[in-house]
Amino acid sequence: MSFKTETCAQCGNLFSYDDSLFGRKPEWGGGMLGGYLCSNCANQRKQEQQLKAFREDDRKRQEMDNIIRENEEDDRYQREQREQRRNQELQRQAEYESANPGEYECPNCLYITLKRNASRCPKCHGTVSSSYWYTINKREAEAQEQARLEADEWERARPQREAAERALKKTKAKRKATIIICSIIGPFLIAGIIAVFSGYSFSRGIEKLVEIITMIIFLPIAIGFLFLIYKIWAFFAGD
């Protein structure tokens, strides 16, 4: 064992420590001048660091508690405001229904207090003439008649609407079928045209005659194939 003496960088006292390979080095004091710390100062600084960390954790915990408390208070305030607005709305509705318990407006006090064909207002006790109810009944009858006419007009226009919808669906189906058929026969048609023109350009003598005879023989087959394509198109198009 090899002991070495150092001066504590904090308290200035001398202390010894084991400077051998397996010895325990003292804690480095840090700071501007550096230096090692004695065991007492090292323990004291460790306790101060732990206390500082504890205070920092406590501060963060208090901040979090304050945030949670503020959020809870804000939520409670919002609920109270909504409840207050709801109560005010219910109160206004109750006051309105209390002041307007009827079905029709009184021509005297202008409150909705009258039942149908009533002769006197229960609120202002004013007299309601028969001409007032005649006007009301006439207006309601005209409104009902107008609603009936609109419903009849809508019902009469139903076949035209359905026909227009069917025509639109048919047009869409034809367009879709045309795209499908063209995408199928288009490449074959182009390839056939290229093959025919290539045959006419490079054929000679008997080969050309054979090609012409072959085209004549297979012409009905081609026409039948095109007719089949047309029937498929008509099937998809809904004709």
Side-chain angles (χ1 to χ4, degrees), residues 106 108-109 113-114 119-128:
C106 174
N108 300 309
C109 64
T113 58
L114 300 179
S119 60
R120 185 178 296 274
C121 175
K123 188 174 184 65
C124 67
H125 305 290
T127 302
V128 182

Side-chain angles (χ1 to χ4, degrees), residues 13-40:
N13 295 329
L14 296 176
F15 66 95
S16 300
Y17 65 93
D18 186 4
D19 193 32
S20 62
L21 180 62
F22 300 100
R24 183 178 179 182
K25 298 291 184 181
E27 185 175 351
W28 181 256
M32 296 180 61
L33 299 178
Y36 293 105
L37 298 177
C38 64
S39 59
N40 293 332

Side-chain angles (χ1 to χ4, degrees), residues 5-236:
T5 303
E6 290 284 351
T7 302
C8 179
Q10 182 171 339
C11 64
N13 295 329
L14 296 176
F15 66 95
S16 300
Y17 65 93
D18 186 4
D19 193 32
S20 62
L21 180 62
F22 300 100
R24 183 178 179 182
K25 298 291 184 181
E27 185 175 351
W28 181 256
M32 296 180 61
L33 299 178
Y36 293 105
L37 298 177
C38 64
S39 59
N40 293 332
C41 293
N43 293 332
Q44 182 180 358
R45 189 171 74 166
K46 185 176 181 180
Q47 292 176 359
E48 291 176 353
Q49 291 176 349
Q50 291 177 350
L51 180 61
K52 183 179 179 180
F54 174 78
R55 290 176 178 175
E56 182 66 19
D57 293 340
D58 185 65
R59 183 186 65 81
K60 292 181 179 180
R61 185 168 54 254
Q62 289 180 358
E63 289 180 355
M64 184 61 64
D65 293 340
N66 292 334
I67 293 174
I68 295 174
R69 189 181 304 108
E70 290 176 358
N71 292 335
E72 291 177 350
E73 292 177 355
D74 184 67
D75 293 340
R76 183 168 57 254
Y77 175 77
Q78 295 294 336
R79 288 195 300 269
E80 291 176 354
Q81 290 296 315
R82 289 194 296 269
E83 187 67 21
Q84 183 178 0
R85 288 194 296 269
R86 180 175 177 273
N87 293 334
Q88 291 176 354
E89 184 65 25
L90 292 176
Q91 183 178 359
R92 285 194 295 267
Q93 183 68 21
E95 292 175 354
Y96 177 83
E97 292 178 355
S98 176
N100 301 274
E103 301 172 354
Y104 296 91
E105 182 182 275
C106 174
N108 300 309
C109 64
L110 302 181
Y111 284 101
I112 303 176
T113 58
L114 300 179
K115 298 295 183 180
R116 188 177 184 84
N117 295 325
S119 60
R120 185 178 296 274
C121 175
K123 188 174 184 65
C124 67
H125 305 290
T127 302
V128 182
S129 63
S130 59
S131 60
Y132 175 78
W133 289 115
Y134 174 79
T135 304
I136 294 293
N137 295 332
K138 182 179 179 181
R139 184 165 59 245
E140 290 182 351
E142 291 176 352
Q144 292 177 358
E145 181 65 18
Q146 181 65 26
R148 187 186 65 81
L149 293 176
E150 291 178 356
D152 293 342
E153 182 66 23
W154 175 264
E155 189 64 26
R156 285 194 299 270
R158 182 189 297 274
Q160 289 81 356
R161 292 197 306 273
E162 293 178 351
E165 292 177 357
R166 288 194 299 269
L168 180 60
K169 291 181 180 179
K170 188 175 182 180
T171 302
K172 291 181 178 179
K174 285 184 177 181
R175 187 181 299 113
K176 183 178 180 180
T178 302
I179 294 174
I180 294 174
I181 297 302
C182 291
S183 63
I184 294 175
I185 68 173
F188 292 99
L189 183 61
I190 295 174
I193 293 174
I194 294 175
V196 169
F197 279 99
S198 298
Y200 278 121
S201 300
F202 297 101
S203 298
R204 294 293 185 272
I206 190 65
E207 295 180 358
K208 185 174 182 180
L209 180 61
V210 171
E211 288 185 5
I212 294 175
I213 295 174
T214 303
M215 290 180 60
I216 294 174
I217 293 174
F218 283 97
L219 183 60
I221 299 176
I223 295 175
F225 177 73
L226 293 177
F227 179 75
L228 177 62
I229 294 298
Y230 168 75
K231 296 300 291 184
I232 295 174
W233 176 84
F235 173 77
F236 279 105

